[in-house]
Amino acid sequence: MKFFFATLLLCFFLLSSSFLVPVMAKSLFCANKCNDRCARAGVKDRCIKYCEICCAECKCVPSGTYGNKHECPCYRDKKNSKGKSKCP
């Protein structure tokens, strides 16, 4: 009986970890892309914060530290409450 529960518990952990990998990979993707994007920003922490929000929603970040927003239309078209670009 103990062996059955131990096996069941092991299977549960293996299956649950397979669901966590894509989530972690996505956030790591955004973190790396946003660190590159915000490398020259004056207020780097704010740039990274908004970049990661936009990346999570759009699943992409334009290349370079400025411009190139045509590479990611979702990122380009996000606006804040004042009508300005939300994404750095």
Side-chain angles (χ1 to χ4, degrees):
M1 194 67 157
K2 288 182 183 180
F3 180 74
F4 173 74
F5 285 117
T7 305
L8 188 62
L9 188 61
L10 179 63
C11 289
F12 172 75
F13 284 124
L14 289 175
L15 286 174
S16 65
S17 68
S18 68
F19 290 112
L20 294 176
V21 171
V23 172
M24 290 172 59
K26 186 183 353 174
S27 64
L28 202 63
F29 168 80
C30 288
N32 290 336
K33 288 289 195 175
C34 290
N35 278 333
D36 293 343
R37 180 84 178 162
C38 297
R40 294 183 176 174
V43 186
K44 193 172 182 176
D45 59 334
R46 185 170 31 178
C47 178
I48 289 173
K49 174 186 172 184
Y50 287 108
C51 179
E52 287 181 350
I53 290 170
C54 294
C55 178
E57 293 176 13
C58 297
K59 314 279 189 283
C60 63
V61 175
S63 62
T65 56
Y66 185 79
N68 300 324
K69 289 188 177 182
H70 63 280
E71 297 173 354
C72 184
C74 170
Y75 192 97
R76 176 194 64 209
D77 297 338
K78 288 212 163 294
K79 304 290 183 203
N80 65 15
S81 60
K82 296 177 183 175
K84 295 186 178 185
S85 180
K86 180 177 186 173
C87 307

